[in-house]
Amino acid sequence: MTDNICTQCGYEHVVINRKYNGQKLCSSCFRDSIEKKVLKTIKKNKLITKGDKVLVGLSGGKDSVALLNILNILKKKGIIELEAVTIDEGIGGYREEGVRIAKDVAGKLDVKHHIVSFDEKYDFTIDKIMNAQKDKGHNQNACTFCGVFRRQVFNQVARDINATKLATGHNLDDETQSIVMNYLEGNITNMVRIGYKTESRDKRFTPKIKPLREIPEKEIGLYVLESGFEVHFDGCPYAHESFRMEIGDFIRELNLKHPTIMYSTLNNFEKIKPAIKKEYVKTHSVPNGTCELCGEPASSRICKSCKFLDVIHNQLLD
Ligand SMILES: [Zn+2]
Ligand SMILES: [Zn+2]
């Protein structure tokens, strides 16, 4: 029986059978392969340079836990400084567990950890907003609010600690979904922002990097389990009706018969992106101003989060 033998070292206990490249790996060779692949992605795409201070968005889910653990290899070698931030959006029965795990992981890896709660910073929770919306007949998706404030918090913390890179745990599944989703919606603006690294011409925004972009979601789950981390696998209770989830189901279904489909989607997108970008940049330029209310970067007089704060405090929670 060669079925259960590691193609790398010959050890007789295989934890993964990679249909897309024929590899069968034992636990230790598998963890090794993930770490090597991520470090290779970082090097090849110049995501991190020596001396960088990297801030990781740490939700306590599998992706961000894996990311922090792998970037910690670079920290231990003295190549980078590393800190983590967890945002508590105020989502009962879901986020408490994530915050607890994030604290635990950061502690174990000896990484400086920041926790920012929407309740303390902005005086609302996502639960309160969603309940108020129900009462007042509004039906804005929770992700719309959440996304705007999360981005602002990440960016503020990054600036406060002088981080030079902001790293998120987006995986191959997430990226493939974004590509297909924005293509189907014809959203070119979002499409050109998909990539290994996003840099704004506005220096008030810290460059964002996605080192896990070439790792399938399933393998990240296995990696954290095999590495002995506790993570929570629950999804956000407000995410269920999103278009992204439908696209995710569709791609997973395709993947059963076509195991290389996610890699080809990603690689082909990288090939056509320069052309889209060239065409796009010709006709659009985003003016980067400053919000009159909060002083944060904004593309109009008042930034999006201040506009939302006005709706939240003067219409929803009054
Ligand atoms: Zn092995
Ligand atoms: Zn503002």
Side-chain angles (χ1 to χ4, degrees), residues 152 291-296 298 302-307:
Q152 190 175 59
C291 173
E292 285 177 7
L293 293 175
C294 70
E296 286 294 313
I302 310 291
C303 78
K304 216 168 184 179
S305 51
C306 284
K307 278 179 196 155

Side-chain angles (χ1 to χ4, degrees), residues 151 168 170 174-175 178-179 182-183 187-201 205 207-210 213 244 266 269-270 273-274 276-278 280-281 284-288 298-299 304:
R151 269 195 295 280
T168 57
H170 292 89
D174 297 329
E175 290 291 278
S178 296
I179 292 165
N182 286 303
Y183 176 73
N187 197 334
I188 311 275
T189 320
N190 280 355
M191 261 182 120
V192 294
R193 291 194 191 125
I194 298 172
Y196 292 95
K197 189 175 173 185
T198 327
E199 245 170 315
S200 174
R201 267 166 291 176
F205 290 107
K208 287 192 202 116
I209 56 169
K210 295 175 188 165
R213 198 171 181 246
R244 174 179 283 277
L266 189 77
F269 174 70
E270 287 302 316
K273 199 169 74 176
I276 303 175
K277 231 173 175 166
K278 205 172 146 206
Y280 167 79
V281 171
H284 295 72
S285 70
V286 184
N288 284 310
S299 49
K304 216 168 184 179

